[in-house]
């Protein structure tokens, strides 16, 4: 049984707008700190790191929205899932622009060299392509055009979320398998993603939904 999303109330729309405005604040703060010269001695690298961190946190929040909704029944989370997902993509765009344009001057030779020398960048690129595909198809006309394929496409987040964790861990040069290096936050992120993936297993999910009757029980992203 599936339930349709109830429309947003005026209050919901206001809350969503406030969240959207708030989600630009980290970018604004970063820009102000960078232009004022307060963003460490290596501002470009720091900005790449911070935008990557913000993107991955927003991706996790988007990924967590559905399971939390199944328990709480708070339908507004369906809309927040999209907002968090889109902003994860926007911060990933800033992250990629800072890396490829500001740091590497869009030098194709240098960028190709970076891809081969630092394979974690290829992982980041795969995540970025998935986020891009999801972002450009997140509107109603695209959803109607794609039909059943829309859900299939948006399930790629199940791949993107763990891969983002791999990119994160690798970028910090941590070794997840030997538990060495700077792996604390990537490990926290990956644990959260694994729990969220387990919660999507139909049997687990139906149990969760039964805590709050009337919640969509099938096929959510
Ligand atoms: C073409 C796509 C991407 C490229 C070229 C790229 C590039 C990079 C580079 C070069 C770093 C290392 C920065 C440094 O420490 O010097 C990095 C780190 C990172 N990236 Fe990406 N990235 C991409 C996509 C993504 C995406 C899609 C996400 C998240 C959704 C992401 C999240 C992160 C995170 C969390 C870090 C670690 C930041 C830290 O040091 O704490 N990246 N990325």
């Amino acid at each position: 049984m599936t339930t349709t999303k109830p429309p947003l109330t005026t209050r919901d729309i206001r809350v969503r707008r406030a969240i959207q405005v708030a989600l630009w604040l980290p970018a604004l703060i970063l820009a102000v700190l960078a232009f004022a010269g307060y963003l460490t001695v290596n501002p470009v690298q720091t900005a790449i790191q911070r935008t990557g961190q913000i993107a991955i946190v927003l991706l996790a929040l988007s990924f967590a929205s559905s399971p939390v909704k199944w328990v709480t029944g708070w339908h507004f989370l369906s809309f927040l899932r999209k907002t968090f997902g889109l902003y994860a993509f926007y911060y990933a765009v800033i992250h990629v622009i800072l890396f490829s344009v500001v740091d590497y001057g869009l030098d194709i030779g240098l960028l190709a060299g970076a891809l081969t020398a630092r394979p974690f960048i290829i992982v980041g690129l795969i995540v970025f392509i998935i986020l891009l595909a999801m972002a450009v198809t997140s509107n109603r006309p695209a959803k109607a055009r794609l039909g059943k394929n829309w859900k299939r496409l948006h399930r790629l987040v199940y791949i993107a979320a763990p891969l983002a964790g791999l990119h994160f861990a690798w970028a910090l040069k941590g070794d997840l398998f030997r538990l060495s290096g700077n792996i604390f936050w990537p490990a926290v992120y990956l644990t959260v993603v694994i729990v969220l993936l387990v919660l999507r297993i139909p049997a687990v999910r139906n149990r969760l939904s039964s805590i709050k009757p009337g919640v969509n029980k099938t096929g959510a992203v």
Side-chain angles (χ1 to χ4, degrees):
M1 179 194 74
T2 52
T3 54
T4 47
K5 280 185 211 169
L8 289 176
T9 62
T10 315
R11 191 177 146 269
D12 289 341
I13 292 169
R14 284 205 191 115
V15 173
R16 187 174 63 176
R17 278 210 193 114
I19 291 172
Q20 286 168 338
V21 171
L23 288 175
W24 284 118
L25 286 180
L28 186 69
I29 294 168
L30 264 182
V32 170
L33 288 176
F35 286 110
Y38 288 117
L39 200 63
T40 75
V41 285
N42 194 341
V44 176
Q45 187 188 25
T46 305
I48 294 173
Q49 291 167 344
R50 296 291 169 271
T51 49
Q53 290 158 359
I54 297 163
I56 207 166
V57 168
L58 291 171
L59 183 60
L61 286 175
S62 173
F63 202 46
S65 299
S66 292
V68 175
K69 188 190 78 175
W70 301 332
V71 178
T72 60
W74 195 35
H75 286 279
F76 185 57
L77 282 170
S78 309
F79 297 93
L80 279 191
R81 184 186 70 197
K82 179 173 160 184
T83 301
F84 288 141
L86 277 176
Y87 278 76
F89 170 67
Y90 298 152
Y91 275 94
V93 170
I94 303 174
H95 180 67
V96 173
I97 289 176
L98 285 169
F99 170 75
S100 54
V101 182
V102 182
D103 204 11
Y104 277 69
L106 218 54
D107 184 316
I108 303 299
L110 277 182
L111 286 168
L115 277 182
T116 43
R118 301 160 88 189
F120 79 91
I121 293 178
I122 298 175
V123 180
L125 181 61
I126 296 169
V127 179
F128 183 73
I129 292 168
I130 295 176
L131 292 185
L132 171 70
M134 289 172 63
V136 296
T137 58
S138 64
N139 52 59
R140 252 180 240 198
K143 196 171 179 176
R145 218 176 32 250
L146 287 170
K148 278 188 180 165
N149 288 330
W150 186 88
K151 210 159 243 178
R152 286 192 194 122
L153 176 72
H154 282 248
R155 282 196 177 132
L156 287 177
V157 72
Y158 299 161
I159 296 170
L163 282 185
L166 180 63
H167 173 74
F168 186 11
W170 216 339
L172 296 183
K173 299 174 189 70
D175 186 337
L176 281 179
F177 303 103
R178 285 197 202 139
L179 291 180
S180 64
N182 195 0
I183 58 141
F184 180 75
W185 287 113
V188 169
Y189 170 82
L190 281 168
T191 307
V192 170
V193 166
I194 290 167
V195 170
L196 292 171
L197 281 170
V198 169
L199 292 179
R200 282 172 162 84
I201 295 169
V204 181
R205 185 180 163 186
N206 287 341
R207 237 191 125 69
L208 259 190
S209 300
S210 66
I211 299 172
K212 195 86 186 176
V215 178
N216 173 13
K217 291 197 179 193
T218 51
V221 177

